[in-house]
Amino acid sequence: MGAKEDKSPRNYFRLEYPNEVRPRIFIDKNSYPVINLCEGGVKFAIDPRKDDVEAERVHEAVIVFHNSDQTEVIGKVIRSEKDSVVLKLSEGVPLQQIMAEQRFLLNKYGTLRRPLEEK
């Protein structure tokens, strides 16, 4: 028998963002910090005391990056946790933008691994 198969493999490379350079995603006039991002999905932080992103509808959103570049995305909530939401994007971030963000993170931090954050 072979190695255990992952039943939900990720098809895209995810960029993990440190707090100080997180892009913002704007949905329904609200703004949220992006935790991680790929061509087909975005995970963003919410404040569970005041934020509520509807799960059963398609959301049109805009992601604004550190250099003010903007990308329009469309997606549906596939997971909602205590302090974060994940959108699966039907219209996602272009590969060119992902590559530009990857270069930015490599130049700024020398790595694509998320730096350890102080609690």
Side-chain angles (χ1 to χ4, degrees):
M1 294 196 132
K4 182 180 174 184
E5 289 184 32
D6 184 1
K7 292 184 180 182
S8 61
R10 291 190 174 166
N11 296 323
Y12 302 105
F13 175 76
R14 294 190 185 286
L15 293 174
E16 297 282 337
Y17 286 96
N19 286 336
E20 66 271 11
V21 295
R22 285 182 173 171
R24 304 288 298 184
I25 185 168
F26 292 82
I27 301 174
D28 298 330
K29 300 181 185 178
N30 295 310
S31 169
Y32 309 97
V34 172
I35 297 169
N36 68 45
L37 175 69
C38 69
E39 291 171 84
V42 59
K43 180 177 182 179
F44 56 93
I46 61 168
D47 181 343
R49 296 169 295 182
K50 65 177 186 165
D51 293 327
D52 183 29
V53 179
E54 292 180 51
E56 293 303 318
R57 75 176 183 88
V58 174
H59 295 277
E60 294 183 13
V62 174
I63 299 174
V64 179
F65 297 93
H66 70 280
N67 59 0
S68 299
D69 282 354
Q70 298 183 15
T71 298
E72 293 181 16
V73 296
I74 299 174
K76 189 171 184 180
V77 175
I78 60 167
R79 189 170 63 246
S80 185
E81 299 170 349
K82 182 179 99 172
D83 57 0
S84 66
V85 171
V86 176
L87 286 181
K88 181 176 182 180
L89 302 176
S90 57
E91 290 188 31
V93 180
L95 179 59
Q96 295 84 356
Q97 184 68 49
I98 296 291
M99 298 302 289
E101 288 296 290
Q102 183 177 6
R103 282 189 302 276
F104 165 72
L105 291 171
L106 280 169
N107 288 332
K108 184 162 181 72
Y109 298 104
T111 182
L112 290 177
R113 295 184 138 236
R114 183 189 222 161
L116 294 176
E117 297 179 19
E118 295 181 20
K119 296 206 176 198

